[in-house]
């Protein structure tokens, strides 16, 4: 058994270390990879072959265990649950890189599992997990074509850089590019960018490959020191006689493949296939018929691929288009009127129904993992139902493909969003694919852009997306714009490019051939740019600019600032005050920060305005001489308590209710009455005294001196009672002030 083996190199000023032989020694291959102070474990294991399947059963898994960042999972169970979006995206990056590197015909089940052991807060563990997985496969002895490496490229301070820190990448970088590759070229690309030019993107890809070569050398060194002997794999023998008999149907397939329409074309080809199967399997014994039919179908798929590639290289694609021709585009703005923004975007036989919903800051997505928790005010969800391709299947939640396509479209649109200060709404996009025949993710980009413009989101630039393809046979090369699903399946490279008229905002690339030159990439990206401009023009014909106003069904928003010390009062005990405001005015209130910035959202403009006025009033500091229209909340024998602001009451002494003598408080006001008052005193404890008399025509100047009005004795007694609290402290049997005043009045009258 090989003991502990360690190899290391330097990448962009950071030490990359690969170790094996200490943990998981029963796995086919296991590696611990360290970059900076972040560390990831990966293991690769193979099971037995499965003859009942006609695909390669590869499973890639990646998990970010919260202990890697010194955290405990949230939720009731305090245990990691389903994989997060980021984990799924990392699984896809790993799978897309390694799947093409296994030999054709290999059907043994392979599992590549990885998880983060340690996160230093700077070096993300996703690309490091890819490196660890590539190394684990390479030392496992599995039949694998070549060593792979992966890097992340950023664009900071005007320059490209390798493995930028997480914080600067999220906040400052103009580029987030993940590339995997081998010694002969690039294998996989995933990128988001802030409208970078095509040449900058190519420079980034070349820089990535230069550093990938260093990682490949390191993995090869580890393999030389600790790798198991490579498994001898022999592809199943090919029945050349049967293959030749199937390929006799080539002319029939050529005729059928030119049929217009996806389903019509598939129907015509399937009819030829059924005839071929019947002819080739004629006379086969029933016991062998199923297996032989499967072999014939496999050869027919190979024939179909050959025919389609031949059609493309001849200059005409199967649907009759030229290489750079875009399918017909139809756009229906506001397809669903009551949604905040919606569009039905159709390009050929691919159709996306995309909606935009505007929400409040409370609707932001909270992203919690091993990285520092943050919030997203923009997210896009992509759905691919079976009916979009005329099929049926088990109905489940979103799969890895749906999550990956949704994130690609989200990244494409992220770059042109306004800042939260400019547009404080949370924006959610949902793309439901209604029909699909190639590049539904790019249709989601186009539909998402249109829907946001219709919803009144002030985008910096409109964004469109296009899926490109490549077919190469020797020196014959065809670069295809707006590819069909079959062209994606049968081609040599699939790359999706999204961007504005200024530059690229997202790029995704899967390469099936060993190498792609800079010249070829430049040509392909330039053709993609021209196609993107064509689509943008069609989009702007339908929706020339963002709507000046948001939908009448979207929340209205008002922003205000209150004193920071008033936040607690606005919220109230247990949220009592803020909940009451939301219920009374039919709004949602969000307190943005500790400085007192508050936003109010509601569908009714009048309710939003009224709530704003109420909040301003409730946080206002009462001042002497200010007049209010208040509501009588309670009545005492010595006066009335009047709510002048939400939560703020002032005492109107009986002597300040009216000019002249008032026998009973209820002679002037009752609970629930609205009455105009003026503040005449605010003591150092914040207690407020008000006067209704001061608001009456010819009202006395008693309100200006801060006293309660009336004779001096009455004012002094009122102050005494105010200090003592309510009259409940008086001994029983003593008459009320109202009674005393009435008694004095009667006595005075009798005199």
């Amino acid at each position: 058994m090989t003991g502990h083996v360690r190899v290391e190199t330097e990448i962009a000023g950071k030490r990359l270390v690969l170790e094996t032989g200490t943990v998981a020694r029963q796995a086919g291959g296991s590696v611990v990879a360290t970059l900076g102070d972040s560390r990831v474990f990966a293991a690769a294991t193979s099971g037995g072959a499965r003859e009942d399947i006609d695909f390669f059963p590869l499973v890639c898994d990646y998990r970010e265990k919260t202990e890697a960042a010194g955290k405990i999972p949230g939720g009731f169970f305090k245990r990691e649950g389903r994989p997060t979006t980021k984990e799924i995206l990392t699984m896809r990056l790993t799978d897309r890189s390694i799947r093409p590197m296994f030999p054709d015909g290999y059907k043994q089940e392979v599992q590549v599992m990885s998880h983060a052991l340690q996160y230093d807060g700077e070096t993300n563990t996703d690309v490091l997990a890819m490196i660890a997985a590539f190394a684990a496969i390479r030392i496992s002895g599995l039949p694998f074509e070549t060593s792979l490496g992966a890097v992340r490229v950023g664009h900071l301070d005007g320059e490209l850089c390798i493995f930028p820190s997480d914080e600067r990448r999220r906040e400052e970088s103009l580029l987030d590019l993940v590339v995997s590759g081998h010694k002969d070229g690039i294998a996989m690309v995933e990128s988001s960018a802030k409208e970078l030019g095509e040449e900058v993107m190519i420079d980034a890809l070349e820089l990535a490959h230069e550093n990938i070569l260093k990682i490949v050398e390191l993995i090869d060194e580890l393999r030389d020191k600790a790798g198991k002997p490579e498994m001898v794999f022999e592809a199943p023998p090919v029945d050349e006689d049967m293959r030749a008999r199937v390929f006799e149907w080539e002319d029939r397939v050529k005729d059928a493949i030119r049929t217009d329409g996806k389903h019509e074309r598939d129907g015509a080809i399937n009819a030829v296939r059924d005839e071929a199967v019947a002819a080739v399997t004629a006379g086969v014994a029933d016991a062998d018929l199923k297996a032989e039919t499967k072999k014939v179908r496999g050869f027919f798929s190979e024939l179909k691929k050959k025919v389609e590639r031949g059609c493309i290289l001849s200059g005409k694609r199967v649907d009759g288009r030229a290489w750079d021709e875009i399918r017909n585009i139809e756009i229906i703005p506001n397809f669903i009127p009551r949604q905040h923004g919606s569009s039905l975007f159709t390009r050929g036989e691919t159709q996306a129904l995309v909606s935009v919903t505007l929400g409040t800051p409370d609707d932001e997505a909270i992203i919690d993992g091993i990285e520092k928790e943050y919030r997203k005010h923009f997210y896009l969800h992509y759905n691919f139902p079976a009916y979009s391709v005329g099929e049926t299947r088990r109905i489940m939640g979103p799969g890895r493909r749906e999550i990956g396509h949704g994130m690609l479209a989200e990244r494409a649109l992220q770059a042109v969003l306004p800042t939260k200060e400019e547009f404080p709404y949370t924006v959610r996009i949902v793309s439901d694919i209604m029909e699909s025949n190639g590049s539904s993710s790019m249709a989601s980009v186009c539909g998402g852009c249109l829907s946001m413009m219709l919803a009144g989101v002030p985008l910096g630039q409109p964004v469109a997306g296009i899926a490109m393809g490549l077919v190469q046979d020797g020196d014959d090369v065809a670069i295809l714009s707006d590819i069909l699903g079959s062209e994606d399946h049968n081609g040599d490279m699939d790359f999706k490019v999204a961007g504005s008229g200024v530059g690229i905002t997202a790029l995704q690339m899967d390469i099936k051939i060993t190498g792609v030159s800079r010249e070829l990439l430049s040509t392909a990206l330039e053709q993609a740019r021209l196609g993107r401009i064509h689509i943008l023009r069609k989009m702007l014909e339908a929706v020339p600019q963002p709507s000046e106003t948001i939908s009448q069904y979207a929340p209205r928003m008002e922003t205000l600032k209150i004193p920071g010390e008033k936040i607690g009062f606005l919220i109230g005990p247990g949220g009592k005050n803020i909940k009451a405001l939301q219920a009374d005015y039919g709004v949602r209130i969000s307190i943005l920060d500790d400085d007192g910035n508050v936003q109010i959202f509601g569908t009714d403009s009048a309710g939003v305005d009224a709530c704003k006025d109420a909040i301003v009033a409730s946080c206002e500091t009462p001042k002497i001489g200010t007049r209010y229209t208040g509501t009588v909340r309670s009545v005492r024998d010595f006066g009335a308590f009047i709510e002048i602001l939400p939560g703020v009451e002032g005492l109107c002494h009986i002597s300040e209710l009216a000019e002249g003598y008032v026998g009973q408080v209820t002679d002037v006001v009752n609970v629930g009455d609205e009455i105009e008052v003026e503040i005449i005193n605010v003591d150092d404890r914040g207690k407020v005294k008000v006067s209704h008399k001061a608001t009456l025509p010819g009202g006395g100047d008693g309100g200006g001196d801060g006293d309660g009005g009336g004779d001096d004795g009455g004012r002094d007694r009122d102050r005494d009672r105010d200090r003592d609290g309510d009259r409940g402290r008086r001994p029983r049997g003593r008459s009320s002030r109202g009674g005393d005043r009435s008694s004095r009045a009667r006595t005075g009258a009798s005199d």
Side-chain angles (χ1 to χ4, degrees), residues 409-478:
E410 179 180 311
R411 288 170 175 163
L413 295 168
Q414 180 81 46
V416 297
L417 288 176
T419 64
K420 288 183 67 175
E421 291 72 24
E422 294 174 314
F423 193 76
Y425 289 94
T426 297
V427 180
R428 182 196 185 212
I429 298 179
V430 177
S431 176
D432 290 307
I433 305 305
M434 312 305 286
E435 300 178 24
S436 180
N437 187 15
S439 189
S440 55
S441 62
M442 295 297 97
S444 300
V445 171
C446 299
C449 177
L450 290 165
S451 297
M452 283 198 291
M453 293 171 69
L454 292 163
V457 181
L459 301 181
Q461 292 283 337
V463 170
I466 185 170
M468 306 293 292
L470 173 71
V471 175
Q472 184 172 358
D473 186 5
D475 294 332
D476 295 331
V477 177

Side-chain angles (χ1 to χ4, degrees), residues 509-521:
M509 188 181 302
D510 293 301
I511 303 172
K512 304 172 188 176
I513 54 180
T514 54
V516 180
S517 66
R518 182 185 179 101
E519 291 73 22
L520 183 58
L521 279 176

Side-chain angles (χ1 to χ4, degrees), residues 9 40 137 150 199 300 354 361 463 723:
T9 189
V40 172
I137 293 172
E199 287 302 311
F300 192 87
V354 189
V463 170
R723 282 192 294 268

Side-chain angles (χ1 to χ4, degrees), residues 372-441:
K372 183 179 178 180
E373 181 181 297
Y374 64 96
R375 291 173 173 264
K376 288 174 59 175
H377 71 285
F378 170 69
Y379 39 93
L380 188 151
H381 295 149
Y382 166 100
N383 300 310
F384 192 87
Y387 60 72
S388 65
V389 287
E391 298 175 356
T392 60
R393 62 170 177 262
R394 183 180 177 187
I395 298 174
M396 302 175 64
R400 292 185 180 185
R401 178 184 178 277
E402 289 173 295
I403 290 172
H405 279 42
M407 182 54 66
L408 175 62
E410 179 180 311
R411 288 170 175 163
L413 295 168
Q414 180 81 46
V416 297
L417 288 176
T419 64
K420 288 183 67 175
E421 291 72 24
E422 294 174 314
F423 193 76
Y425 289 94
T426 297
V427 180
R428 182 196 185 212
I429 298 179
V430 177
S431 176
D432 290 307
I433 305 305
M434 312 305 286
E435 300 178 24
S436 180
N437 187 15
S439 189
S440 55
S441 62

